[in-house]
Amino acid sequence: MSSFARVAAVLLTLSALHGEQALAQSLTPEQQQLRAVYQELLEINTTNSAGSCTVAARAMAARLKAGGFADADMQLIVPPGGPNKGMLVARLKGSGAKRPLLLLAHLDVIEAKREDWTRDPFKLIEEDGYFYARGAFDNKAQGAIFVSNMMTYKRSGWTPARDLILALTCDEETIPSEFDGVDYLLKHHRPLIDAELGFAEGGSLAQTPDGKLISHGIQAGEKIFQSYALEVRNNGGHSSLPVPDNAIYRLAEGLSRLGKFSFPFKLTPTARSYFERSADAVGGPIGADMKAILTPVPDAQALVRLAQVNAFYNASVRTTCVTTMVNAGHATNALPQRAQAVVNCRILPGEQPEDVRQTLVRVLADANIAVTPMGTPAVAPAPPLNPELISTMQALSEKMWPGVPVIPTMAVGATDGRFLNGAGIWTYGVSGLRKEANGSGIHGLNERLSVKSLYEGQQFLDELTRAVAR
């Protein structure tokens, strides 16, 4: 490198540092507090393979204690046999005029390999207006916001009408799993988290690829997660003597039939509300197709077009089942004695997993393909579309993002809300965070969240919490 290039590099580095320092100086005390909590939380590895939710829970307890919470206000819960599965529950006492509000976030994150990422996934990198790290969006942004806001409430001496319960849990991302933090708390420590309603992950601000905000989602319910093991067995034999009855062929033909099958169209109340409110916001041919599926006789071609535009539209109106794993044979020179597959289904609320299993049996159309449920699903009703909550959220959203409509959504994936809704604690996904059209790298490489969005989310969740808890 020439001396000129070295000087230029130094100047660029100094310029970048100056810019970051200027930005830090422009942050309010509450924002500075949030950034410090966010960085600490992100830089604690909480993956299932090598991380520890317990370390993260202890760190957040220390933050809350520094913010004025007494030890008696917090419970660190480490389940038996799970030393790295620790969770934190903290309570800000209210007047008791109303039942508590639960603020839920999970500490664990999806795996991330350093060699696959552009940047270290367990170091907070602020670059070009974005925060990069595993968990930058899912779900440590919301967890850090809840922790920081609780610290602010405590220091200010605010006494809400409701107790505010903060729960930072573990193993939401490990599906299927014998342990889930929220499920464990409900079974063993329900009084700690019992509430009238809860706020959790799932809702976000949707953007077009060019960054235009088009809607503000509030998650109200989710599909049922259920996988099924498929298996074909036969006697096998020497590969030099093939016979028509081949386990792999049988399974492959059945899976081919499944790949061409679609479950029936069905509009849940949440899905209907989603398409009704989205149609005008999206506009154009897509908006017209959204309206066309809401008629007494839904337009079949409109359904086809919507599914081609966005897989989410299709998943919102029908149960889906897809083959995710296949395993067969035991030797290169032997006929297969066994062929296996895993089919993962996301089942609409109100439909039964056993009915879905029977549908799979019918569609596979081969009595030699055994279909067995894998585990027991958490079946839960969708929370009601609370008009007061939605109107409150719309008013706040209009103030922060004028013209962006609040739209109820149903999660086509799975969150811890399913356990809470099943227990009668109506839980809604809200965040005020901007999710990019490409998914912001959630569960993928180079996960990120815009710097602006983190602080917007802090403001939105603060004002929403105060409005609902007062």
Side-chain angles (χ1 to χ4, degrees), residues 190-205:
R190 172 144 186 175
L192 288 180
I193 63 170
D194 201 26
E196 181 179 359
L197 73 162
F199 292 157
E201 67 173 328
S204 61
L205 288 150

Side-chain angles (χ1 to χ4, degrees), residues 221-421:
E222 57 192 74
K223 299 174 97 172
I224 301 165
F225 180 102
Q226 177 65 68
S227 291
Y228 300 87
L230 277 54
E231 185 175 68
V232 179
R233 295 188 182 191
N234 62 25
N235 293 328
H238 200 286
S239 63
S240 66
L241 301 171
V243 295
D245 187 14
N246 183 298
I248 291 176
Y249 297 160
R250 278 189 175 275
L251 181 62
E253 289 168 359
L255 293 177
S256 178
R257 288 188 285 270
L258 178 60
K260 298 179 178 67
F261 173 76
S262 289
F263 281 79
F265 168 82
K266 180 180 177 181
L267 276 176
T268 64
T270 301
R272 177 174 288 278
S273 181
Y274 170 80
F275 285 109
E276 285 175 346
R277 296 177 182 232
S278 296
D280 289 333
V282 173
I286 297 174
D289 281 343
M290 288 179 173
K291 292 179 180 179
I293 70 170
L294 301 174
T295 59
V297 180
D299 186 326
Q301 291 306 308
L303 277 170
V304 171
R305 289 191 294 270
L306 287 173
Q308 292 171 342
V309 168
N310 191 328
F312 176 80
Y313 297 153
N314 180 65
S316 296
V317 297
R318 66 180 84 245
T319 290
T320 61
C321 291
V322 62
T323 306
T324 55
M325 299 178 71
V326 176
N327 181 47
H330 61 285
T332 60
N333 58 350
L335 300 177
Q337 297 170 2
R338 180 178 294 137
Q340 301 166 311
V342 173
V343 170
N344 178 244
C345 298
R346 305 303 175 109
I347 304 170
L348 286 176
E351 297 184 1
Q352 299 303 313
E354 175 57 22
D355 293 339
V356 171
R357 190 194 73 82
Q358 292 180 16
T359 299
L360 291 176
V361 170
R362 176 175 58 82
V363 173
L364 293 166
D366 187 336
N368 289 283
I369 303 177
V371 182
T372 307
M374 300 175 68
T376 303
V379 179
L385 296 176
N386 186 319
E388 183 178 356
L389 175 60
I390 292 175
S391 64
T392 299
M393 186 170 163
Q394 181 65 69
L396 292 175
S397 186
E398 183 64 27
K399 182 176 75 171
M400 295 185 65
W401 305 284
V404 177
V406 170
I407 296 178
T409 63
M410 176 184 64
V412 297
T415 73
D416 278 333
R418 67 193 190 279
F419 296 107
L420 294 165
N421 287 321

Side-chain angles (χ1 to χ4, degrees), residues 5-37:
R6 284 195 293 270
V7 171
V10 170
L11 289 174
L12 284 172
T13 300
L14 291 173
S15 176
L17 289 172
H18 177 74
E20 290 180 8
Q21 291 169 354
L23 177 61
Q25 292 171 357
S26 69
L27 298 178
T28 67
E30 289 78 14
Q31 290 171 336
Q32 292 176 18
Q33 174 180 272
L34 170 59
R35 195 191 188 288
V37 173

Side-chain angles (χ1 to χ4, degrees), residues 26 77 114 124 128 133 139 180 210 212 215 238 260 316 324 353 406 417 432 454:
S26 69
I77 299 167
R114 176 64 186 93
L124 178 62
D128 297 328
N139 179 231
D180 178 275
D210 62 0
K212 177 186 175 183
S215 65
H238 200 286
K260 298 179 178 67
S316 296
T324 55
V406 170
L454 178 70

